[in-house]
Amino acid sequence: MTPALLVATLGGVGRLRPGPGTWGSALILPAAWLGPLACLVLAMVFAVAGWWAAREVLDDETEDPGWFVADEAAGMALTLAALPAATLPGVLLAFALFRLLDIAKPWPVSWADRQPGAFGVMLDDVIAGALAAIALLAFHALLPGVIA
């Protein structure tokens, strides 16, 4: 397996069935215990590495294939960066919010999903992660102490 495919599939996790995107997102959950700053850095690393991998393994006409899960890693890590502290309820809520937004694709996630090439493959999940992070921050502001 080439380095780009290793990144694209998160070491093969993207080949798991059913729901490779769910498996790719779940793989990132332990990063929450590294803290918000580490999750933010991981999100940036996954975004850049995923964009590179998408350019290497996909052509500009390819839609986001299910086995490509580096984008889920970037979005999930960005979501986790919004948790003030890692708790099981908080991490589970972050996971559920990100997956809901990634699957339902409300605007602007749906817009990003229609963009061509590596840009579109990565951007929809990064936007879903940002929206989930905003929702977590709002939840924490309204109900402090519930998720952290």
Side-chain angles (χ1 to χ4, degrees):
M1 189 177 287
T2 68
L5 273 174
L6 281 172
V7 171
T9 63
L10 297 179
V13 169
R15 304 287 187 193
L16 295 176
R17 299 288 180 256
T22 300
W23 289 108
S25 300
L27 180 69
I28 305 308
L29 296 179
W33 280 270
L34 298 174
L37 182 59
C39 288
L40 187 58
V41 170
L42 278 174
M44 290 187 288
V45 168
F46 281 123
V48 170
W51 179 76
W52 166 79
R55 289 186 50 132
E56 293 292 313
V57 302
L58 306 173
D59 59 46
D60 283 342
E61 306 307 315
T62 304
E63 292 186 25
D64 187 355
W67 54 264
F68 191 99
V69 293
D71 51 343
E72 272 82 13
M76 188 72 248
L78 183 56
T79 303
L80 294 172
L83 289 174
T87 64
L88 188 57
V91 170
L92 292 176
L93 179 60
F95 179 73
L97 283 170
F98 173 70
R99 291 305 296 148
L100 176 69
L101 291 167
D102 186 28
I103 293 167
K105 297 203 184 311
W107 190 89
V109 180
S110 58
W111 169 84
D113 190 51
R114 292 188 302 272
Q115 302 309 302
F119 179 73
V121 169
M122 294 303 298
L123 187 62
D124 70 309
D125 291 274
V126 170
I127 291 175
L131 292 175
I134 290 167
L136 284 173
L137 292 170
F139 187 86
H140 183 66
L142 294 171
L143 297 168
V146 173
I147 60 171

